[in-house]
Amino acid sequence: MRNQNLVALAQNIRENIVNCIGSLGVGHIGGCLSIADLLAVLYGKHLKYDATNPQMEGRDRLVCSKGHAGPAIYAVLAEVGFFPKEVLETLNQGGTTLPSHCDMNKTPGVDMTAGSLGQGFSCAVGVALGSRLRKDGATVYAIIGDGESQEGQIWEAAMYAGHAKLDNIIAFTDYNKMQLDNYISAINELSPLDKKWEAFGWKVWVIDGNDVDAIDNAITEAKAYEGKPKMIIMNTVKGKGVSYVENALVGSHSMSITPEMRAQGIKEIRGE
Amino acid sequence: MEINEKTLMKEVLVDHMRNVLSSDPNVVMLDADLAKCAGTNVLYKEFPDRCFDIGIAEANMASMAAGLSSYGFKPYISSFAPFATRRCADQIMISICYAQQNVKIIGTDPGISAELNGGTHMALEDIGMLRSIPNILIYEPTDTMEFAKALPQIHAYPYPCYVRMHRKCPALLTKESDEVNILKARIMRQGTDCTIVASGIMVETALQAADEMAKEGVSVEVVCCHTVKPIDGDTIVASAKKTGAVVTAENHNVMGALRSAVCEVLSENYPVPVESVGVKEKFGEVGKVPYLRKAMNMEVCDVVSAVKKAIARK
């Protein structure tokens, strides 16, 4: 029985993503839609935050290392009240607070700048080390792309977090099996991804990353697990929830969204 | 600490780190398996909770430091100059500078001071790579006394800093009574016929060249430009107005660092003939400093020739 509140939140996040990118007419929509369910579970249930006080002491941190999923982060931040939804329509306009890639100095609620792939995850390991030093009990969540996992820096950071037994970090891989140029398997295969993370000293879960209950259960287990950093590999569908994005397959990394496509996408998400 | 002719630069660094680690619980130190070389390994016993040797992974070190900074810490990261800069240039650019994280970067044994480690370890382009990044401060100490006076200012500086330091013992040119301001170039000797703007180990060379020129009745002013960014244009332009000719002398490729910064300042404010001493279109190689100075045309005689050429072009 799915948690209907989280399902509804994920639906709203997807609508916001389509409106945000649709307002501009082009963007990284595939990898935004694939993590909408994760963001619903984090902001709807697990993440400790205060939308009226983005710098709240002791808050949990979310680092979206796949920084091009900025619009997905903005979609959830607007949904839970960090800023008005109208701001979503300013994506990538000159002077906007919502740049294509996440920027901690521009957007309320964004805790780390990311976009040069691999770096955000390293930063997240630094944040987790900082939280451990502070003894403030915060959990650090990090979202990595599967294509991003080809960056050597991901594994530098993974190795150190495993070595340091940083068990206050919970990372997610958005494993949608596609990257910009082609399928992951055609470019530079990651499999067996779970074995790789285990070998680096991480406790690993492999789940359906578009199922809010599966995500919820995995995070609940991960929070309770001590002694190792945690990786939740989420098998996802790139573009999940909007047929023309899903059907674009490896063309969905960044694609044009016409006003008609925007309207159709909203209808599909609402089940109309 | 007491500083004398035998004090090592790395001892000054360690003394500073001990001071700031003791006085500020937010200071953290990260090394990438070269802590023994920088001398910072002794701090690991004294401050085991805040010193992290994260292994041979400089990119991870730079970004982790940015993460720690975002959490309110004041991180220092250290490695050999090429690995502290070249190896993680994008991490310095994005994780640290673009994200506005106040990380202090220590790069040891720049340029020919890498000596026997040779061309792979010889950073001759590190300043050139970092100088176009907004807000970063780039400082190259002249000697231990100046370094000791500069480090607390580096610590207090509100933006990322790159400190490009010789580990050993360059000639002690600074007196305890000398004032050091990291944002102000230092006039080491007054002169009227030509200005040498020098940095790092080339400051001593410039002073020796000025001695040589004095024997020929030529009065040379020596300006120590320890901070190449932000550059103290006022002092350099004022000296150029007085002497009408400038020579730059640096332990770096002549592209992108001191020569470039001085030429930018002069061409926009007071164009005069400029000649340069430094590495010209060459990679590093192994050897002791005297050999490398000769191989790279960075000896006193090279500075003297450059001064004569600059004066002849007036």
Side-chain angles (χ1 to χ4, degrees):
Chain A
M1 181 61 193
R2 289 199 168 182
N3 181 326
Q4 291 307 313
N5 290 336
L6 297 180
V7 169
L9 180 54
Q11 180 178 314
N12 291 349
I13 292 168
R14 286 198 164 86
E15 279 192 33
N16 292 350
I17 291 170
V18 170
N19 281 325
C20 182
I21 294 175
S23 72
L24 186 71
V26 64
H28 296 107
I29 194 163
C32 284
L33 289 168
S34 61
I35 61 169
D37 303 293
L38 168 63
L39 294 173
V41 177
L42 283 175
Y43 282 85
K45 185 161 179 187
H46 290 282
L47 199 70
K48 193 164 50 179
Y49 67 91
D50 179 354
T52 63
N53 180 16
Q55 301 298 317
M56 179 182 75
E57 287 283 320
R59 68 190 184 280
D60 291 337
R61 307 292 174 111
L62 171 64
V63 177
C64 185
S65 190
K66 44 173 279 183
H68 52 281
I73 303 296
Y74 311 148
V76 71
L77 291 175
E79 189 62 33
V80 301
F82 280 85
F83 46 81
K85 284 191 186 179
E86 298 79 65
V87 178
L88 294 172
E89 309 260 335
T90 70
L91 178 75
N92 284 349
Q93 308 284 353
T96 185
T97 56
L98 307 182
S100 58
H101 298 80
C102 297
D103 189 326
M104 62 189 291
N105 296 304
K106 288 197 162 65
T107 314
V110 169
D111 279 326
M112 189 55 64
T113 296
S116 186
L117 294 176
Q119 295 190 29
F121 182 55
S122 263
C123 294
V125 171
V127 171
L129 191 58
S131 173
R132 175 190 273 185
L133 286 171
R134 290 268 189 268
K135 300 185 173 69
D136 60 7
T139 300
V140 180
Y141 298 94
I143 306 172
I144 302 170
D146 48 4
E148 182 184 15
S149 303
Q150 293 162 346
E151 289 278 7
Q153 189 170 0
I154 291 289
W155 302 101
E156 290 186 1
M159 189 184 294
Y160 187 74
H163 165 81
K165 299 184 168 51
L166 280 174
D167 60 4
N168 57 347
I169 186 166
I170 300 176
F172 306 89
T173 300
D174 177 19
Y175 202 9
N176 57 47
K177 322 291 186 300
M178 297 174 201
Q179 57 190 108
L180 191 151
D181 272 342
N182 206 333
Y183 292 94
I184 299 272
S185 58
I187 298 284
N188 192 355
E189 179 61 282
L190 290 174
S191 174
L193 192 56
D194 52 344
K195 296 282 186 290
K196 287 186 170 74
W197 284 95
E198 282 168 5
F200 278 74
W202 289 58
K203 171 69 177 172
V204 178
W205 288 259
V206 181
I207 64 165
D208 177 348
N210 293 126
D211 177 337
V212 291
D213 291 335
I215 299 168
D216 182 15
N217 291 339
I219 294 175
T220 302
E221 286 181 30
K223 281 164 98 171
Y225 188 91
E226 293 180 356
K228 285 183 181 180
K230 280 88 67 154
M231 164 54 73
I232 298 172
I233 296 172
M234 305 194 309
N235 288 308
T236 56
V237 173
K238 199 163 186 175
K240 178 72 179 180
V242 178
S243 60
Y244 58 80
V245 187
E246 289 186 28
N247 294 337
L249 300 173
V250 293
S252 76
H253 181 79
S254 177
M255 59 189 287
S256 296
I257 307 293
T258 63
E260 295 74 30
M261 290 162 81
R262 177 179 175 178
Q264 185 201 327
I266 299 295
K267 273 190 185 173
E268 282 188 25
I269 291 164
R270 290 180 179 170
E272 291 171 358
Chain B
M1 72 184 292
E2 191 183 326
I3 288 172
N4 58 44
E5 290 78 9
K6 291 184 178 163
T7 307
L8 302 177
M9 296 288 271
K10 65 180 186 178
E11 292 171 342
V12 176
L13 172 69
V14 170
D15 185 64
H16 167 75
M17 291 310 307
R18 185 177 287 120
N19 289 341
V20 292
L21 281 159
S22 300
S23 61
D24 186 344
N26 285 322
V27 173
V28 291
M29 174 89 222
L30 280 72
D31 288 278
D33 199 40
L34 290 172
K36 277 186 194 168
C37 302
T40 49
N41 61 322
V42 299
L43 301 166
Y44 282 68
K45 286 189 186 122
E46 298 168 44
F47 307 95
D49 297 338
R50 285 182 287 138
C51 293
F52 304 96
D53 195 332
I54 62 105
I56 307 165
E58 296 80 8
N60 187 41
M61 175 169 70
S63 293
M64 272 184 65
L68 282 157
S69 168
S70 80
Y71 224 77
F73 290 92
K74 298 175 185 170
Y76 282 70
I77 63 176
S78 171
S79 184
F80 286 159
F83 311 136
T85 57
R86 228 164 48 199
R87 182 74 192 207
C88 52
D90 192 47
Q91 285 74 17
I92 292 172
M93 169 66 202
I94 298 298
S95 294
I96 295 175
C97 295
Y98 179 77
Q100 299 174 32
Q101 301 305 330
N102 191 351
V103 175
K104 308 304 182 192
I105 303 157
I106 310 291
T108 59
D109 285 359
I112 62 170
S113 60
E115 291 197 309
L116 303 189
N117 274 324
T120 55
H121 289 49
M122 209 160 272
L124 296 167
E125 59 298 298
D126 47 332
I127 296 173
M129 293 173 67
L130 300 187
R131 199 168 64 91
S132 52
I133 299 176
N135 298 326
I136 193 169
L137 180 142
I138 302 174
Y139 168 73
E140 179 165 0
T142 309
D143 60 24
T144 49
M145 183 67 75
E146 184 202 276
F147 194 28
K149 289 169 180 278
L151 276 169
Q153 300 174 44
I154 299 279
H155 185 73
Y157 195 70
Y159 294 104
C161 299
Y162 170 46
V163 174
R164 181 184 203 258
M165 61 168 278
H166 198 319
R167 277 187 293 158
K168 293 179 187 163
C169 183
L172 187 56
L173 306 172
T174 308
K175 293 193 281 294
E176 187 150 17
S177 56
D178 289 347
E179 192 184 328
V180 172
N181 177 341
I182 54 167
L183 299 177
K184 294 296 290 179
R186 304 169 60 202
I187 301 195
M188 308 297 281
R189 174 195 292 242
Q190 304 268 358
T192 54
D193 299 326
C194 182
T195 301
I196 306 174
V197 183
S199 60
I201 59 171
M202 295 307 286
V203 176
E204 183 194 18
T205 317
L207 289 167
Q208 290 165 341
D211 285 340
E212 291 294 312
M213 295 305 297
K215 289 177 196 162
E216 300 180 24
V218 177
S219 167
V220 173
E221 179 147 303
V222 176
V223 176
C224 165
C225 188
H226 45 64
T227 301
V228 67
K229 179 183 175 137
I231 194 158
D232 176 10
D234 291 346
T235 299
I236 291 164
V237 169
S239 184
K241 283 181 176 170
K242 188 163 69 161
T243 63
V246 170
V247 168
T248 59
E250 61 194 307
N251 177 18
H252 188 281
N253 192 302
V254 294
M255 285 185 202
L258 184 64
R259 166 178 171 259
S260 299
V262 168
C263 286
E264 287 158 17
V265 164
L266 292 175
S267 64
E268 289 176 5
N269 294 282
Y270 191 78
V272 296
V274 177
E275 294 290 330
S276 63
V277 176
V279 177
K280 294 182 176 169
E281 207 61 10
K282 280 182 181 168
F283 292 106
E285 57 176 299
V286 290
K288 291 282 200 179
V289 162
Y291 166 82
L292 292 165
R293 278 184 182 274
K294 193 173 183 65
M296 303 293 178
N297 302 109
M298 290 163 60
E299 296 183 293
V300 175
C301 61
D302 300 305
V303 181
V304 165
S305 302
V307 167
K308 288 179 178 171
K309 267 174 89 174
I311 290 173
R313 286 174 54 204
K314 277 203 217 179

